[in-house]
């Protein structure tokens, strides 16, 4: 597997907890990068990425992504591969469950990025989600509020999948 960055906010709560679990499953081989400090130069050091994003504001990305998103919207992402996980709350926000993951995936694909790590929607109960593609999410939804006990096992399964799917 190529050099891989895990990109998330170091100031987030559940997203950061999940990042530590993902890192552990990868045997500590990921480079942790703070989305609040990343520059496009640093971003281009990597070809493989794991991105962690919670959904806030009824279906939006948290505002600490605001600085980097415009840069991504202009970036050439051909040759880069992305796996996404999203923290969300399917009971509290059933109409926007993990929307931010879908918003991000769409943007990355538009710029030429490849998305891997799709997960079947079985076992989740919600009304709508921008992260849904048919019967699959475009990444791993993590619901610490309602399915805390599923978090660790689903991360472990997902990481095994990523090890097969990343180049
Ligand atoms: C004000 C507010 C708005 C939220 N909006 C959504 C939402 O639209 N969709 C969703 O799935 N979760 C939503 N959530 C739930 C968070 O995404 C969830 O608690 C997540 O685990 C937070 O991760 P963090 O601790 O890394 O920020 C919202 C939470 C808050 C407090």
């Amino acid at each position: 597997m190529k050099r891989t960055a895990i990109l998330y906010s170091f100031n987030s709560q559940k997203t950061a907890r999940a990042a530590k679990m993902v890192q552990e499953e990868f045997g500590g081989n990921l480079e942790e990068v703070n989305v609040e400090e990343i520059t496009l130069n640093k971003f281009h050091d990597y070809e493989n990425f794991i991105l962690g994003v919670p959904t806030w504001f009824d279906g939006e990305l948290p505002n600490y992504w605001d600085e980097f998103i415009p840069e991504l919207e202009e970036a050439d992402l051909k040759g880069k591969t992305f796996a996404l996980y999203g923290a969300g709350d399917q009971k509290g926000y059933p109409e926007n469950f993990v929307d931010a993951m879908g918003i991000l995936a769409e943007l990355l694909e538009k710029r030429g990025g490849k998305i891997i790590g799709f997960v079947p929607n079985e076992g989740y109960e919600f009304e709508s989600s921008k992260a849904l593609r048919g019967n699959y999410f475009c990444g791993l939804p993590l619901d610490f509020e309602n399915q805390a006990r599923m978090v660790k096992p689903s991360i472990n399964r997902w990481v095994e999948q990523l090890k097969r799917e990343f180049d």
Side-chain angles (χ1 to χ4, degrees):
M1 203 170 111
K2 292 175 189 156
R3 207 171 151 210
T4 303
I6 182 163
L7 180 64
Y8 64 99
S9 164
F10 288 11
N11 293 314
S12 62
Q13 304 290 313
K14 288 156 190 144
T15 305
R17 268 165 56 199
K20 299 297 171 201
M21 296 182 209
V22 173
Q23 173 70 289
E24 194 186 326
E25 277 306 297
F26 271 103
N29 290 320
L30 304 175
E31 299 197 26
E32 298 195 30
V33 180
N34 189 354
V35 69
E36 298 186 44
E37 289 175 5
I38 192 167
T39 59
L40 210 49
N41 250 351
K42 171 106 179 132
F43 181 77
H44 283 303
D45 283 350
Y46 306 94
E47 285 163 89
N48 287 347
F49 294 85
I50 297 168
L51 306 188
V53 64
T55 300
W56 285 13
F57 313 123
D58 297 348
E60 305 283 340
L61 275 82
N63 41 24
Y64 52 70
W65 277 84
D66 285 356
E67 273 189 44
F68 192 50
I69 289 291
E71 299 206 51
L72 276 182
E73 282 170 339
E74 303 283 312
D76 178 5
L77 303 181
K78 279 192 222 67
K80 294 193 189 294
T81 305
F82 300 89
L84 281 64
Y85 70 87
D89 172 352
Q90 63 204 289
K91 284 211 179 117
Y93 304 88
E95 291 171 6
N96 303 94
F97 182 47
V98 295
D99 271 2
M101 198 163 71
I103 293 168
L104 208 47
E106 194 177 321
L107 189 163
L108 298 167
E109 284 177 317
K110 223 178 251 171
R111 303 306 304 164
K114 178 180 165 192
I115 311 290
I116 61 159
F118 281 52
V119 169
N121 67 355
E122 282 156 34
Y124 298 95
E125 275 182 43
F126 59 98
E127 284 165 32
S128 60
S129 171
K130 288 198 176 110
L132 208 56
R133 310 274 181 94
N135 294 326
Y136 283 80
F137 286 104
C138 59
L140 176 67
L142 297 173
D143 187 337
F144 284 82
E145 273 83 4
N146 306 295
Q147 297 176 326
R149 273 180 303 162
M150 269 176 58
V151 168
K152 182 88 172 107
S154 65
I155 285 177
N156 293 358
R157 251 194 329 270
W158 189 61
V159 168
E160 291 315 308
Q161 178 183 342
L162 297 189
K163 285 178 183 168
R164 293 192 300 272
E165 294 183 5
F166 267 130
D167 290 328

